[in-house]
Amino acid sequence: MDNKHIVEIRNLVKHFPMGGDHFLALKGISLDFAVGEFTGLVGPSGSGKTTLLNIVGGLDSPSEGQVTVLGHNLAGTSHKQRAELRRLHMGFIFQTYNLLPVYTVYENVEFPLLLNGVPADERKRLVTRAIELVGLSDKLGSRPAQLSGGEGQRVAIARAIVKEPTLVLADEPTANLDAENSHHVMKILVSLNKELSTSFIFATHDEKVMAYLHRILNLVDGKIVKDELVENPELKG
Amino acid sequence: MLTFKLALKNLMGAGTRTWLNVFVTALSFILIILMTGMYQGMDAHAKQVTIDSEIAGGAYWHPLYDPTDPFTLEDAHAVPPPRVVDLVDAGQAVPVLVAQAAIYPNGRIMPVVMKGILPQQDIISLPSAKLAEYDGPSIPVIIGRGMAKRANLNQGDTFTIRWLDASRTYDADEGIVVHIMSTENIKIDFGQIWIPLDRAQAMLSMAGEATYVSYAQNLEPLAETDGWIHRDVGYLTRDMTAMIEAKQPGTNVLFAILLALAAMGIFNSQMLSIFRRHKEIGTLMALGMTRSKVVGLFTTEGGLNAFLALIMAGVLGGPLFYLTATYGIPLPLDYSEMGLIIASRLTPIYPLALFVSTTILVSIIVTIVSYLPSRRIARMKPTEALRGRVS
């Protein structure tokens, strides 16, 4: 792996079977993501944003091409190795939060640490810190059903960053949130990016999210049509 | 350990849904043990009743005696061997003289087996002492409740008895019902009349003779029997043993049905879990759980379901098993009408082996039926699970 690059993608093609034919979701994409980036994959529905995010996260595999994440060529890794990569180094934020319904806020955030076998004392410290960062210290014992949409997404963020991962992949993290909550969530992510140097890759078509990104990749029909570094006023704040 | 903790948390977190599943599985557990216990109790009771009221410790048969062939009765009688007579004199054996006869209750004719027995005996559980309480001119007769019903006879009723004596001459006299015994053993009830041995020997001109001699339980069999055939309990209950063995496949089918019910409950809840929780499965994979660990988690949940069901079965079924084993279960029908030896209060038997074997068997089956649906997870793509698609 290039020291500066956390993800390297070369000639990535992804197609899905559709009827007797194939649907081409990604058409020969090549790009790199640097350490500490705050990048957005932007484009209309069906442009391939989520597919690209899933492949980077090892949740899906490329049809052709090479994807290297944290120095691991995903084409040569097993399901188990990809799961380990996610468990140790990646955090996920989903559009629908995907919190575990029978767990409390504390337990949801604690879950990735349990999987990593973090000792109890350290777990408590990290969970408390992550929940403080997203401002939900008063909701530790609440269950997901008792939270508002904004609170639910903040719990999902706390869960994604609690193990201080190298890379966080966020798929439409603000799609179900109102404007106020969207800005709140994005500000939290920006501060985490600055504090922990965690790299963030977003898949979004939300203008409010774009205002926080410092690199925007425009995808149309499975191709990157624009890759621009932006100077966002929200980031300066 | 983590898988176990997570599975327990998931089960507890699911609340009512979990407890409903556990309750249904526990109910199956209880039914399996109760039904098997009832069957075992029924079999043991039938065998014990037969031993107590008919067989005792065993018997010495006249060489020609064959209870399944009434024609042998004419010749199957003799004075028992001296050693057997010694047992009778010592009160450790009771001779029985068997002959064919006919009775005429209320103008009808009924062929019967007439058995002469020593009134003062306690070798077999038969109220023969009632025969000695009568000192009238008629032949005192004890019949069973079933026989009394069929012949429409009540205590004190008289009827004609006709028999063939040793010199092949028909004779007849009046019999009187001195007692109607209540017995669960239909083999000493239907088609049988019991009279005093000395009376029978006199009527049949067979002084001192018997057809078979039953001896007390726990008595060692004699080495020398002068041609009389020793029949032990195993031989004398062989019909019943064969009947129980013939019934075994039916019992096994019932056992399998109840087991299948328990298994289906868990299989169903596992399938439902996997369909309902596809998003959760996808999330667990995204968070870094391997497929095999997710499969393990769901299988453990199923196994824990069975374990909780076992505890619930113990809590709910324990008192039930204790009460039924102590006081029995009253049966609504008189099964003797159907030719079955079944107690009016059926007392189930629950040996430890039944609990152990049921627990082991159910645990194995539950683990399998928990694992089978969970295997679907291994084929699931994380992205499809997250999107809510389950193949």
Side-chain angles (χ1 to χ4, degrees):
Chain A
M1 177 181 73
D2 186 328
N3 281 341
K4 289 179 184 174
H5 293 150
I6 196 165
V7 178
E8 293 171 0
I9 300 171
R10 299 288 175 268
N11 305 315
L12 172 62
V13 174
K14 178 68 185 177
H15 47 73
F16 296 103
M18 186 179 265
D21 210 351
H22 283 98
F23 167 70
L24 208 51
L26 297 172
K27 301 169 182 171
I29 287 176
S30 295
L31 59 93
D32 299 322
F33 293 100
V35 175
E37 264 194 29
F38 204 72
T39 304
L41 304 169
V42 175
S45 291
S47 58
K49 306 184 295 290
T50 301
T51 304
L52 182 54
L53 209 63
N54 285 338
I55 289 173
V56 171
L59 295 173
D60 211 344
S61 44
S63 303
E64 291 171 34
Q66 186 174 311
V67 178
T68 307
V69 179
L70 299 162
H72 295 83
N73 180 0
L74 295 187
T77 54
S78 63
H79 280 290
K80 197 175 172 184
Q81 287 169 318
R82 290 203 290 272
E84 191 179 339
L85 196 63
R86 288 194 295 273
R87 180 168 62 77
L88 295 172
H89 304 294
M90 290 187 203
F92 280 86
I93 303 170
F94 302 98
Q95 179 180 341
T96 49
Y97 328 137
N98 290 28
L99 299 175
L100 302 172
V102 300
Y103 291 14
T104 62
V105 165
Y106 185 94
E107 289 164 345
N108 262 287
V109 177
E110 187 189 28
F111 191 80
L113 301 178
L114 283 172
L115 289 183
N116 283 341
V118 176
D121 289 351
E122 179 70 354
R123 242 174 23 229
K124 191 174 180 187
R125 187 185 70 77
L126 289 169
V127 173
T128 309
R129 181 168 168 270
I131 291 175
E132 270 173 14
L133 274 172
V134 296
L136 286 174
S137 299
D138 57 334
K139 300 277 184 185
L140 291 179
S142 302
R143 289 188 192 276
Q146 298 168 307
L147 303 173
S148 68
E151 288 169 339
Q153 193 59 298
R154 278 147 65 193
V155 176
I157 290 168
R159 182 178 65 184
I161 54 103
V162 69
K163 63 188 174 195
E164 298 179 1
T166 318
L167 174 65
V168 171
L169 303 170
D171 189 7
E172 307 278 11
T174 57
N176 288 334
L177 303 180
D178 58 27
E180 188 186 346
N181 271 312
S182 296
H183 284 294
H184 190 179
V185 161
M186 287 312 295
K187 279 173 183 163
I188 292 169
L189 296 178
V190 167
S191 69
L192 291 171
N193 174 242
K194 283 179 181 169
E195 278 180 37
L196 307 173
S197 295
T198 304
S199 305
F200 283 83
I201 303 174
F202 296 87
T204 185
H205 54 253
D206 186 348
E207 299 281 341
K208 296 186 288 293
V209 173
M210 290 180 214
Y212 290 87
L213 303 172
H214 57 61
R215 183 184 177 196
I216 296 176
L217 292 157
N218 276 284
L219 264 85
V220 176
D221 291 337
K223 281 184 176 173
I224 293 174
V225 293
K226 201 172 170 187
D227 182 353
E228 56 179 341
L229 292 173
V230 287
E231 196 68 31
N232 266 317
E234 298 284 2
L235 285 171
K236 288 175 186 168
Chain B
M1 197 61 192
L2 175 65
T3 304
F4 179 80
K5 278 184 187 171
L6 295 177
L8 191 64
K9 197 182 278 278
N10 286 344
L11 277 183
M12 294 298 119
T16 313
R17 192 159 51 87
T18 294
W19 292 115
L20 272 175
N21 282 334
V22 167
F23 178 70
V24 170
T25 313
L27 213 58
S28 302
F29 262 120
I30 291 171
L31 280 175
I32 287 170
I33 292 171
L34 186 69
M35 292 301 289
T36 313
M38 280 171 73
Y39 264 106
Q40 293 201 7
M42 215 182 287
D43 294 342
H45 178 77
K47 213 163 187 172
Q48 196 56 49
V49 164
T50 308
I51 289 169
D52 289 346
S53 62
E54 191 184 348
I55 295 169
Y60 299 101
W61 283 8
H62 185 278
L64 299 177
Y65 178 50
D66 179 357
T68 60
D69 180 3
F71 293 108
T72 62
L73 296 179
E74 282 183 23
D75 303 315
H77 54 85
V79 175
R83 283 190 181 81
V84 176
V85 173
D86 290 345
L87 285 179
V88 175
D89 293 341
Q92 291 179 314
V94 55
V96 178
L97 182 60
V98 186
Q100 285 196 88
I103 60 171
Y104 297 85
N106 305 306
R108 290 185 297 145
I109 181 170
M110 281 182 79
V112 294
V113 171
M114 182 172 71
K115 288 183 173 175
I117 186 169
L118 270 181
Q120 296 81 20
Q121 62 84 32
D122 54 4
I123 307 297
I124 58 174
S125 177
L126 196 88
S128 52
K130 297 280 182 188
L131 295 169
E133 290 174 9
Y134 177 76
D135 60 355
S138 304
I139 305 165
V141 175
I142 290 176
I143 55 173
R145 200 160 38 93
M147 177 71 179
K149 199 173 173 187
R150 280 195 188 172
N152 196 18
L153 287 170
N154 294 305
Q155 194 167 323
D157 285 355
T158 54
F159 53 90
T160 303
I161 306 173
R162 191 188 64 147
W163 65 90
L164 187 68
D165 66 18
S167 54
R168 304 198 182 276
T169 306
Y170 278 105
D171 202 350
D173 201 347
E174 184 182 73
I176 180 168
V177 180
V178 294
H179 182 67
I180 295 173
M181 65 178 167
S182 182
T183 178
E184 289 160 357
N185 185 356
I186 51 154
K187 286 158 74 183
I188 61 167
D189 182 342
F190 291 104
Q192 304 214 359
I193 61 171
W194 294 82
I195 63 173
L197 179 65
D198 56 353
R199 199 75 188 256
Q201 288 168 337
M203 287 156 63
L204 296 163
S205 306
M206 298 175 187
E209 295 188 6
T211 305
Y212 66 87
V213 179
S214 294
Y215 62 85
Q217 292 185 51
N218 304 319
L219 203 65
E220 285 296 313
L222 298 170
E224 287 296 321
T225 55
D226 297 340
W228 281 49
I229 302 164
H230 174 241
R231 300 295 191 194
D232 61 10
V233 173
Y235 179 87
L236 295 170
T237 56
R238 70 195 190 289
D239 291 348
M240 187 155 296
T241 307
M243 194 178 78
I244 290 168
E245 279 171 8
K247 232 168 35 165
Q248 197 57 41
T251 312
N252 290 347
V253 168
L254 190 72
F255 192 88
I257 289 171
L258 289 169
L259 208 59
L261 278 179
M264 269 191 282
I266 292 167
F267 187 84
N268 183 42
S269 88
Q270 284 290 93
M271 287 296 285
L272 201 69
S273 258
I274 288 161
F275 277 99
R276 275 170 52 97
R277 294 166 63 187
H278 48 78
K279 207 166 185 178
E280 186 184 328
I281 292 166
T283 307
L284 293 173
M285 289 177 180
L287 292 175
M289 262 188 129
T290 57
R291 285 170 175 171
S292 58
K293 279 197 173 165
V294 182
V295 171
L297 177 65
F298 276 71
T299 307
T300 309
E301 281 184 29
L304 270 175
N305 196 324
F307 181 70
L308 291 175
L310 203 65
I311 293 172
M312 191 182 271
V315 172
L316 299 179
L320 180 73
F321 298 145
Y322 173 77
L323 287 173
T324 52
T326 307
Y327 302 107
I329 303 166
L331 296 179
L333 294 171
D334 181 2
Y335 288 93
S336 60
E337 293 284 331
M338 302 175 200
L340 300 170
I341 302 175
I342 294 177
S344 53
R345 284 190 85 84
L346 174 59
T347 306
I349 293 175
Y350 309 111
L352 184 65
L354 174 63
F355 290 103
V356 174
S357 60
T358 307
T359 305
I360 291 172
L361 195 62
V362 171
S363 302
I364 291 170
I365 289 187
V366 161
T367 307
I368 292 169
V369 296
S370 300
Y371 172 70
L372 288 178
S374 308
R375 278 189 320 166
R376 282 171 166 265
I377 296 168
R379 296 198 299 265
M380 222 181 261
K381 284 185 178 174
T383 47
E384 291 188 352
L386 282 166
R387 272 199 293 263
R389 289 183 197 161
V390 182
S391 53

